[in-house]
């Protein structure tokens, strides 16, 4: 079993719709979780971090964490064509320090 | 505040050579992590440095090494290059442990 799993997609949504991206992880001791966006040929860009169970909202983005189910999700409201990118889920498995494990990423395509 | 910078941006080397990549973190950030990104394996953690000490290490052979200087700048070295080392090498910095990591633009290494 991979440590962080995501559906590779592509996930296609129409402009203005809600895009829902999901991620599961295997390390029950992990305490910090991140979503990155990566455009083709560019480096990952941090869009959300979440540390506690529940929802965290930032603009059009909402991250959801359920540690009991080992599940993290990202909702993008009012999706725009500029949101088309690969979304990477990352989990810090380092007990002392930072050691991010990434999922393979979900390709999102927003169609206008 | 300036972001993470990496030099050089592109490198072409031949098998058997060695290479040194450099990373300057965001001002005030003391943790620097290195990652390798390839189409086949995705984003993989190499190592993390904090206060000039390697704090975490990924599953890479000993040909991959790094160090951190007192000003938090970091270098990674790959010796005896192999074709499979062709990848995008990314550096990320964070303010403290279990905190958000911000990526630099990466160094694209091609091994011929």
């Amino acid at each position: 079993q991979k440590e962080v799993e995501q559906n590779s997609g592509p996930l296609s949504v129409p402009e203005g719709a809600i895009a829902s991206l999901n991620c599961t992880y295997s390390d029950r001791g992990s305490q910090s979780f991140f979503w990155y966006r990566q455009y083709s040929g560019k480096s990952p860009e941090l869009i959300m971090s979440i540390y506690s169970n529940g929802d965290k909202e930032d603009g059009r983005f909402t991250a959801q964490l359920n540690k009991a189910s080992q599940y993290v999700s990202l909702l993008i409201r009012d999706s725009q064509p500029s949101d088309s990118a690969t979304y990477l889920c990352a989990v810090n498995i380092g007990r002392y320090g930072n050691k991010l494990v990434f999922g393979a990423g979900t390709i999102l395509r927003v169609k206008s | 505040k300036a972001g993470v910078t990496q030099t050089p941006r592109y490198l072409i080397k031949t098998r058997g050579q060695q290479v040194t990549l450099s990373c300057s973190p965001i001002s005030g950030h003391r943790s620097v992590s290195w990652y390798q990104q390839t189409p086949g394996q995705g984003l993989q953690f190499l190592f993390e440095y904090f206060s000039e000490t390697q704090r975490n290490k990924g599953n890479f052979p000993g040909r991959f090494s790094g160090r951190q200087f007192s000003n938090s700048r970091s270098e990674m070295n790959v010796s005896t290059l192999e074709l499979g080392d062709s990848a995008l090498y990314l550096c990320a910095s964070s303010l403290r442990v279990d905190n958000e990591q911000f990526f630099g633009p990466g160094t694209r290494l091609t091994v011929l």
Side-chain angles (χ1 to χ4, degrees):
Chain A
Q1 181 190 7
K2 292 184 178 179
E3 291 183 277
V4 179
E5 298 208 47
Q6 298 179 252
N7 288 326
S8 61
L11 172 65
S12 292
V13 300
E15 184 176 356
I18 296 174
S20 178
L21 306 164
N22 305 313
C23 169
T24 58
Y25 61 95
S26 61
D27 184 1
R28 284 194 170 275
S30 297
Q31 298 296 321
S32 53
F33 308 84
F34 307 92
W35 284 98
Y36 287 85
R37 176 175 63 194
Q38 187 172 28
Y39 293 111
S40 180
K42 301 294 186 182
S43 63
E45 173 193 10
L46 178 70
I47 52 174
M48 288 290 285
S49 61
I50 188 164
Y51 303 92
S52 306
N53 280 329
D55 296 358
K56 178 181 177 183
E57 186 175 319
D58 184 0
R60 296 186 298 113
F61 300 98
T62 299
Q64 299 173 317
L65 173 61
N66 184 326
K67 290 183 180 179
S69 300
Q70 295 173 252
Y71 176 90
V72 192
S73 67
L74 179 71
L75 300 177
I76 306 175
R77 290 180 298 282
D78 188 24
S79 295
Q80 301 297 309
S82 58
D83 294 327
S84 298
T86 298
Y87 288 80
L88 299 162
C89 173
V91 178
N92 187 6
I93 66 169
R95 291 297 171 263
Y96 303 99
N98 297 310
K99 183 176 181 180
L100 290 185
V101 175
F102 283 83
T106 298
I107 297 171
L108 174 65
R109 293 181 181 154
V110 181
K111 298 181 178 181
S112 57
Chain B
K1 186 181 275 191
V4 179
T5 58
Q6 292 186 246
T7 56
R9 294 292 311 278
Y10 302 92
L11 266 179
I12 299 176
K13 294 286 187 178
T14 57
R15 279 180 297 175
Q17 287 187 309
Q18 75 165 15
V19 67
T20 299
L21 312 181
S22 181
C23 171
S24 291
I26 293 170
S27 178
H29 285 195
R30 296 170 63 192
S31 169
V32 174
S33 300
W34 289 89
Y35 296 84
Q36 181 197 64
Q37 187 173 32
T38 60
Q41 299 299 317
L43 255 171
Q44 293 184 286
F45 174 81
L46 281 156
F47 29 66
E48 182 213 9
Y49 285 87
F50 183 87
S51 292
E52 303 178 63
T53 301
Q54 186 180 88
R55 194 160 58 174
N56 282 287
K57 190 177 188 304
N59 298 323
F60 279 81
R63 300 186 296 107
F64 292 83
S65 63
R67 60 178 176 168
Q68 187 181 34
F69 302 95
S70 58
N71 62 358
S72 294
R73 190 177 69 84
S74 177
E75 290 181 346
M76 69 163 281
N77 184 276
V78 188
S79 63
T80 320
L81 284 166
E82 300 176 359
L83 295 178
D85 296 333
S86 294
L88 179 66
Y89 289 89
L90 293 158
C91 166
S93 76
S94 67
L95 191 59
R96 55 182 182 272
V97 64
D98 226 8
N99 199 231
E100 299 168 337
Q101 292 187 40
F102 298 91
F103 283 86
T107 295
R108 173 73 62 184
L109 172 64
T110 302
V111 182
L112 302 175

